[in-house]
Every structure is written in structure tokens, then in C-alpha cells.
């Protein structure tokens, strides 16, 4: 199996949860990742910040002080990053994690016809839109619509990335 690498800044924050001890961010699934168990796999490497892997039920359990974050990944392949609510607020946690890389194992990939996924990023490199699998002709229309309706003097420029669509088996 191959490996994938992605920064937290490239993933969307899908939700934010406030617990009694910790708060946590739930990020979109790791792209084309193999399916994880609901326990501790130990095969995800998060760089540049002290982290420890935990199970979902421990997201609100005090984090050992030697770690800045605790993370959990279950069968949904979404990363849940817990942090002590006295150390960070939501915005600070997102900012700290933005450039942190995640190395993970890819699943077995099979090409999904002649479809591609288009990822639009803002001038900061953050993902702002991801299409469903479409043909290249359909994606040309999406890109031209984005370009025709976006004010670059206010919102900055967009960059587009086309990725072949795969099914993970």
C-alpha cells in the first residue's frame, strides 16, 4: 500500500465540539485512506506537534501534559483532534494545526471511470470547495463558473487541483 500526506489546512473542519475537559475539532476524512478500526491503529503519523492517539470515548479525558493534542480516527476516517480547553480556543487550535502534516496509509485504489475530483483552494492554500466525481468537460464548466463569479480583489485568487477519482476497496 502507498502512503498519502496531507496538511490539516487542506482538510475541512466539519465540526467543533465543546466538552467538559477538552474541546475537539472533527476534520473531513483522510482522502483515499484505508479504513481504520474504531480502536488505536498507530499507523497515522502527525508531525511537528506532540500528539497521542486515543479512542473516541477518551476525547474528553484529560490529556497528558506532555502532549498538545490527542487524536482519534475511527472507521469514518475523520480525524478528531482534542485539546485542553484551557490551552487553546478553537481559532488558536486551527491556526496551530494548519501547517501540521499527517502521513497515512492509502487504501487499495481502483480508478472510477473517467471521473476526476476538482479541489478549489483560496490564496492561502485552504480548501474551499471539492466537487463530486465528474468528467473533465463538466469540471471545465465548474471552474469557469467559479472564475466568473468570484471577486479576486476582495477574496483573492483560486487555484484548482484535479485528482483522478478512485474507489477505495
Amino acid at each position: 500500500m502507498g502512503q498519502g500526506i496531507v496538511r490539516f489546512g487542506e482538510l475541512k473542519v466539519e465540526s467543533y465540539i465543546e466538552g467538559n475537559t477538552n474541546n475537539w475539532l472533527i476534520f473531513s476524512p483522510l482522502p483515499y485512506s484505508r479504513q481504520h478500526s474504531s480502536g488505536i491503529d498507530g499507523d497515522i503519523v502527525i508531525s511537528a506537534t506532540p500528539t497521542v492517539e486515543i479512542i473516541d470515548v477518551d476525547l474528553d479525558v484529560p490529556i497528558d501534559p506532555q502532549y498538545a493534542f490527542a487524536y482519534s480516527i475511527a472507521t469514518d476516517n475523520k480525524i478528531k483532534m482534542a485539546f485542553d480547553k484551557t490551552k487553546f480556543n478553537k481559532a488558536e487550535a486551527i491556526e496551530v494545526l494548519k501547517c501540521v502534516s499527517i502521513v497515512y496509509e492509502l487504501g487499495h485504489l481502483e480508478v472510477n471511470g473517467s471521473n476526476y475530483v476538482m479541489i478549489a483552494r483560496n490564496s492561502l492554500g485552504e480548501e474551499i470547495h471539492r466537487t463530486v466525481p465528474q468528467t473533465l468537460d463538466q469540471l471545465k464548466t465548474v471552474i469557469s463558473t467559479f472564475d466568473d463569479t468570484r471577486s479576486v480583489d476582495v477574496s483573492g485568487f483560486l487555484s484548482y487541483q484535479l485528482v483522478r477519482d478512485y474507489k477505495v476497496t
Side-chain angles (χ1 to χ4, degrees), residues 41-127:
D41 295 316
D43 60 355
I44 301 247
V45 177
I46 297 177
S47 68
T49 190
T51 59
V52 62
E53 185 174 9
I54 58 174
I55 57 174
D56 277 6
V57 295
D58 287 342
L59 287 168
D60 205 24
V61 172
I63 298 170
D64 187 323
Q66 73 183 25
Y67 299 108
F69 295 91
Y71 71 93
S72 174
I73 183 162
T75 56
D76 59 4
N77 284 347
K78 294 180 182 183
I79 294 184
K80 294 108 182 156
M81 291 296 289
F83 53 92
D84 187 325
K85 62 187 345 177
T86 63
K87 290 184 180 177
F88 301 108
N89 63 34
K90 178 183 177 183
E92 290 168 338
I94 291 171
E95 186 63 29
V96 166
L97 291 170
K98 189 176 2 182
C99 293
V100 173
S101 296
I102 309 158
V103 178
Y104 60 97
E105 188 177 332
L106 296 172
H108 179 71
L109 305 178
E110 291 181 9
V111 175
N112 183 13
S114 59
N115 292 322
Y116 291 80
V117 172
M118 188 268 305
I119 302 164
R121 298 186 190 285
N122 64 18
S123 56
L124 299 174
E126 298 166 328
E127 181 179 321

Side-chain angles (χ1 to χ4, degrees), residues 37 71 80 96 142 145 147 169:
S37 70
Y71 71 93
K80 294 108 182 156
V96 166
V142 172
T145 302
D147 286 343
T169 58

